[in-house]
Amino acid sequence: MPANNVTLAATWRAVSEPSHVHAWSGAWESGATHHWHNCTAAGCPLTDNGQKDGYAPHTAGNWIVDQAATSSQNGSRHKACTVCGYVMERETIPATGGGSSGGSSGGSSGGGSSDSDDDSPSGGSSSNTTNTTTKNPDGSTTSTSTNRGTGTVTKTTKWPDGSRVVVETKRDGTVTTTETAADGSTVKTVTKPDGSGKTSVRDADGTVVETTVNSSGQTKGEAKFPSKVVQEALDQGYAVRLPGPSLWIEGTDTASITFRTGSVRPLRVDIPVVNPNPGIVAVLVSGGKETILKYAVPAGDAISVSLTDGAVVKLKDNRKEFSDTRSHWAAESIDFVTARELFSGKTSAAFAPDSTMTRGMLMTVLARLDGTDTSGGSTAYAKGIAWAAAQGISDGRNPDVWITREQIAAMLYRYAGEPGSGGTLPFSDASSISGYAREAVSWAVERGILTGYQNGSLAPQRTATRAQVAAMITRYICQVDG
């Protein structure tokens, strides 16, 4: 069961206020050889541009054609810094003269062609390669190189901040995309016509992720986190996001990742997923056995899971198909609890969301949440009832009686370790809450697990449906740091 003893330590230190706080402009300033950001704050003491933010030499890009040469008129082209846009060089493209013997800006023959792919003007070509360069509205520049011999087309787009994307498309349909961020992080993805491929990620913080996907949609890979990244996340209590493209998990598509953290302490990792839904689960694979991690939950565009060094985690869509839940108000909660196999359907095709739930059913759900195998008992709920009595969650009596809302709160409160509550109960019928359940109900309301009705009542003695309990269990799991 989750622990409820938490120790917080705070250290205060005095920090002297700086005499000047820089406010760097987002616009670039440029000289003949370098660029930088000016400080926009009043009274900035810096006069030497070399001490200012972003100060660095210009980086020349490819030639950009301003005006193409014709048979009778010269054209022009220029090179600009790929970071700040400063024009570093301009030159004339000689008129072609209408024949193949006309001169070129590079001094070669062939009607304006160039032997250098990088320096070819827009529309230029060599014997086997055609090159074009265009300026995009967002300030980026795209250079396209087409090799007529191999059929390979390479598009390179560069942005002023230094980031770039290179897309190489081969004649057989294989596409290789290499993305380089301004901080130096790289993502290289190779996709083949049959849907298989490979992705290699090198994050700026040192994290390395390698994955492969087969033509059937199964992904396997390994993620290695540097010790500095792991230690900082553990010390500060935040999740580390797995860098790279989001994983596709739907239908039979799965993803198995081996995590190398170098730590025996559990590290919280957010694994990005395309359109994560409540039915996607994380499964721990160990010794040929698969165990669903009940507390691995959707977190925005990711699945958040706690894991230790060497853990192999498989993501899969474990939703169940019930004909009576598709348009139900609690459909997502029902998907959540049945995918984690805390609840079972009444049949393989029906969940019966609006039928009433018994005390024995809830004891069994909580036993499964705690990792107990509840199968094989003398009755469907026998092992769950025995577990609840042994753990002090319930006395185990009256398992076939319909469970009330305050009884649900009481069992969850005990399962959570009786963490205490200072919340109020602003309901018209708050006085009807049983004494034994009052603190538990206050806790459940405070945490958003139990909610009231539109008429201002809580109805603590009202029986609960399977859908209502599924919603409460989902809320509980999602607000617990598993």
Side-chain angles (χ1 to χ4, degrees):
M1 293 187 292
N4 64 325
N5 294 322
V6 178
T7 302
L8 298 178
T11 301
W12 298 90
R13 58 174 182 162
V15 179
S16 59
E17 184 178 352
S19 58
H20 178 80
V21 178
H22 293 300
W24 300 113
S25 170
W28 287 103
E29 298 294 330
S30 303
T33 59
H34 289 72
H35 50 248
W36 61 89
H37 293 293
N38 277 337
C39 176
T40 61
C44 179
L46 292 182
T47 58
D48 181 0
N49 292 331
Q51 297 179 354
K52 296 181 180 180
D53 180 61
Y55 183 81
H58 293 311
T59 302
N62 291 335
W63 285 109
I64 298 174
V65 174
D66 303 307
Q67 182 176 342
T70 67
S71 61
S72 59
Q73 290 186 333
N74 292 336
S76 64
R77 64 180 183 174
H78 73 273
K79 284 187 178 182
C81 175
T82 59
V83 177
C84 69
Y86 178 82
V87 177
M88 301 173 63
E89 186 176 358
R90 288 187 184 275
E91 71 175 32
T92 298
I93 305 174
T96 63
S100 62
S101 61
S104 74
S105 61
S108 62
S109 62
S113 66
S114 170
D115 291 332
S116 170
D117 292 346
D118 290 338
D119 291 341
S120 295
S122 178
S125 64
S126 64
S127 59
N128 286 316
T129 304
T130 300
N131 302 281
T132 60
T133 301
T134 58
K135 188 78 171 179
N136 303 314
D138 63 357
S140 64
T141 301
T142 300
S143 301
T144 304
S145 176
T146 304
N147 188 309
R148 292 191 295 271
T150 63
T152 299
V153 178
T154 304
K155 288 188 175 183
T156 302
T157 302
K158 297 181 179 180
W159 283 264
D161 64 357
S163 58
R164 65 183 182 274
V165 175
V166 180
V167 181
E168 179 191 76
T169 304
K170 293 185 176 180
R171 181 173 286 163
D172 67 359
T174 299
V175 178
T176 301
T177 303
T178 305
E179 303 173 60
T180 304
D183 64 2
S185 301
T186 61
V187 179
K188 182 178 181 179
T189 303
V190 180
T191 305
K192 296 184 178 181
D194 64 357
S196 63
K198 180 179 181 179
T199 299
S200 301
V201 180
R202 302 288 187 274
D203 199 68
D205 65 10
T207 301
V208 177
V209 183
E210 301 276 356
T211 59
T212 59
V213 58
N214 63 24
S215 58
S216 299
Q218 277 71 54
T219 299
K220 290 187 177 182
E222 182 177 73
K224 296 180 181 179
F225 294 97
S227 58
K228 181 180 179 181
V229 171
V230 173
Q231 194 59 50
E232 184 176 298
L234 292 174
D235 291 345
Q236 299 186 21
Y238 63 76
V240 174
R241 185 177 178 85
L242 186 71
S246 297
L247 300 173
W248 182 269
I249 309 295
E250 188 171 359
T252 59
D253 296 340
T254 63
S256 296
I257 309 292
T258 301
F259 291 88
R260 306 294 183 189
T261 68
S263 175
V264 295
R265 294 171 59 189
L267 175 70
R268 171 74 63 176
V269 178
D270 289 345
I271 307 173
V273 173
V274 177
N275 298 324
N277 65 71
I280 294 179
V281 297
V283 180
L284 183 65
V285 181
S286 178
K289 180 181 178 182
E290 295 190 354
T291 304
I292 295 176
L293 301 175
K294 309 296 195 302
Y295 289 95
V297 299
D301 62 349
I303 301 296
S304 188
V305 56
S306 288
L307 45 85
T308 55
D309 182 51
V312 179
V313 175
K314 180 168 75 173
L315 299 185
K316 68 176 184 179
D317 190 339
N318 202 35
R319 282 177 294 185
K320 315 300 180 185
E321 291 295 331
F322 298 117
S323 59
D324 56 355
T325 65
R326 292 169 186 163
S327 59
H328 197 277
W329 67 267
E332 289 192 353
S333 294
I334 293 168
D335 282 347
F336 184 92
V337 296
T338 54
R340 284 155 182 77
E341 299 179 359
L342 302 174
F343 281 63
S344 300
K346 284 291 187 179
T347 67
S348 60
F351 183 77
D354 298 318
S355 65
T356 312
M357 190 154 175
T358 67
R359 287 166 51 84
M361 289 179 187
L362 180 60
M363 295 178 207
T364 301
V365 167
L366 292 179
R368 291 170 181 161
L369 179 59
D370 202 50
T372 298
D373 182 1
T374 61
S375 61
S378 57
T379 65
Y381 309 121
K383 287 191 174 181
I385 294 168
W387 170 88
Q391 298 296 324
I393 306 301
S394 169
D395 57 14
R397 294 185 297 176
N398 303 317
D400 297 323
V401 172
W402 305 131
I403 195 165
T404 65
R405 287 160 57 81
E406 68 177 11
Q407 288 172 350
I408 298 169
M411 287 192 195
L412 273 175
Y413 183 65
R414 294 169 193 145
Y415 179 71
E418 300 186 6
S421 172
T424 59
L425 294 168
F427 301 103
S428 59
D429 56 352
S431 60
S432 66
I433 300 172
S434 300
Y436 79 88
R438 194 168 188 83
E439 187 170 358
V441 170
S442 177
W443 166 81
V445 170
E446 182 181 23
R447 301 301 293 265
I449 299 168
L450 180 64
T451 59
Y453 292 92
Q454 290 183 346
N455 64 3
S457 68
L458 185 66
Q461 274 89 41
R462 181 175 295 176
T463 56
T465 65
R466 284 165 56 82
Q468 290 171 337
V469 179
M472 292 177 68
I473 294 296
T474 298
R475 294 173 197 144
Y476 171 75
I477 293 174
C478 288
Q479 53 85 51
V480 169
D481 183 8

